[in-house]
Amino acid sequence: KITKAVITAARRSQRLLPLQTLIDRDGDEKPVLRIIVEEALQAGVDRVCVVVCPGDEAAYAQAAGPHAARLHFVAQHEPLGYGHAIYCARDFTAGEPFLHLVGDHLYVSREAKGCAAQLVELAEAEECAVSAVQPTRESLLPYFGAVGGRRVAGRQNLYLVEDVIEKPTPTEAEQRLLVPGLRAGHYLCFFGMHVLTPTILDILEQQVQAAGARGGVTLSDALAQLASRERYLALAREGWRYDVGVKYGLLM
């Protein structure tokens, strides 16, 4: 049962993005953070940890509106990488599996059920880590982490992950991330949404200690190790992911 979620929003150059006000799919005016928190709550999560820059807690609590009481804040005091930001939430997760969302992505499902709810439902049924992915054309590889593997027998949109690379070059992707059944020039890139097992924090702990003050700890490197340690799946989603942190992201 997935009852906790971790949202990373500590990137220094994008700390104001979750505070931007948008119109959600129901026509309501809401900050980006509140839309993301509601995505997690609709998946059955009870408590949400938001990893922030020091001093941003009050502004983020206000942006969460009526959901502020469910939020727990953890500050990432040094910008040591995306993987390190997730590791900062280790005391909150307390050895339990958790849903992870990024604070600069918005998710729009093609179905009545939200993207996170579909991911959590599958992870609970399969009892393993699951990342949401989306077939993405080769020209967009510089923006995403990507996975390689093989399709699970009898399942059209489910894959067993065998390799993970952060922002691979086309050559790397062609050599290591080809997935049988995908159309030519397309790869399974991350959707910005994962259900992770406690093993990922054990791996991140080792990487954080090895990196020390130089930082640069990535989630993709940890997920590559996870794939070699335990069953790890990727669910291809047909919804839309909008990265509001890139140029024109909010406009789109």
Side-chain angles (χ1 to χ4, degrees), residues 3-249:
T3 62
K4 296 178 179 179
V6 174
I7 298 172
T8 48
R11 188 171 175 180
R12 269 57 177 173
S13 62
Q14 299 183 352
R15 56 195 295 191
L16 297 181
L17 289 175
L19 306 181
Q20 299 286 332
T21 298
L22 300 179
I23 306 299
D24 76 358
R25 63 186 304 174
D26 299 318
D28 297 324
E29 199 173 287
K30 296 176 183 175
V32 169
L33 179 67
R34 180 174 168 185
I35 296 173
I36 298 171
V37 168
E38 289 177 352
E39 175 84 26
L41 297 179
Q42 289 164 8
V45 165
D46 295 325
R47 298 170 58 210
V48 179
C49 175
V50 187
V51 184
V52 299
C53 289
D56 284 350
E57 293 86 349
Y60 276 55
Q62 183 177 1
H67 310 301
R70 297 199 185 197
L71 300 191
H72 174 84
F73 292 100
V74 172
Q76 184 188 28
H77 293 282
E78 297 292 336
L80 300 179
Y82 174 27
H84 177 267
I86 296 173
Y87 179 67
C88 289
R90 63 193 180 280
D91 291 338
F92 170 82
T93 60
E96 299 177 34
F98 59 96
L99 171 67
H100 167 52
L101 309 173
V102 290
D104 58 1
H105 277 48
L106 292 172
Y107 315 93
V108 180
S109 175
R110 293 179 184 265
E111 307 168 22
K113 185 179 293 185
C115 297
Q118 296 171 43
L119 189 68
V120 166
E121 185 178 86
L122 176 68
E124 291 179 344
E126 297 291 335
E127 297 184 336
C128 67
V130 185
S131 291
V133 295
Q134 193 167 56
T136 304
R137 63 182 183 273
E138 184 180 78
S139 61
L140 296 177
L141 285 174
Y143 298 100
F144 301 102
V147 307
R150 63 183 187 275
R151 184 172 280 140
V152 174
R155 299 292 295 272
Q156 189 67 23
N157 62 345
L158 192 62
Y159 301 84
L160 180 66
V161 178
E162 297 173 342
D163 202 356
V164 182
I165 306 177
E166 177 65 18
K167 299 176 181 175
T169 65
T171 300
E172 286 177 315
E174 187 175 8
Q175 292 175 346
R176 296 172 53 186
L177 302 178
L178 283 178
V179 176
L182 284 189
R183 50 184 175 158
H186 283 69
Y187 297 92
L188 294 177
C189 291
F190 286 135
F191 196 71
M193 180 182 293
H194 313 262
V195 171
L196 301 172
T197 61
T199 305
I200 199 69
L201 289 173
D202 295 336
I203 296 170
L204 286 172
E205 181 175 23
Q206 296 170 2
Q207 294 184 346
V208 167
Q209 291 175 350
R214 75 175 184 275
V217 179
T218 71
L219 177 61
S220 291
D221 287 346
L223 290 175
Q225 286 195 41
L226 182 72
S228 67
R229 291 195 188 186
E230 61 185 41
R231 189 167 182 252
Y232 169 35
L233 299 175
L235 176 66
R237 299 295 341 117
E238 294 187 356
W240 295 275
R241 48 149 148 63
Y242 295 101
D243 184 349
V244 298
V246 299
K247 194 173 185 179
Y248 303 122

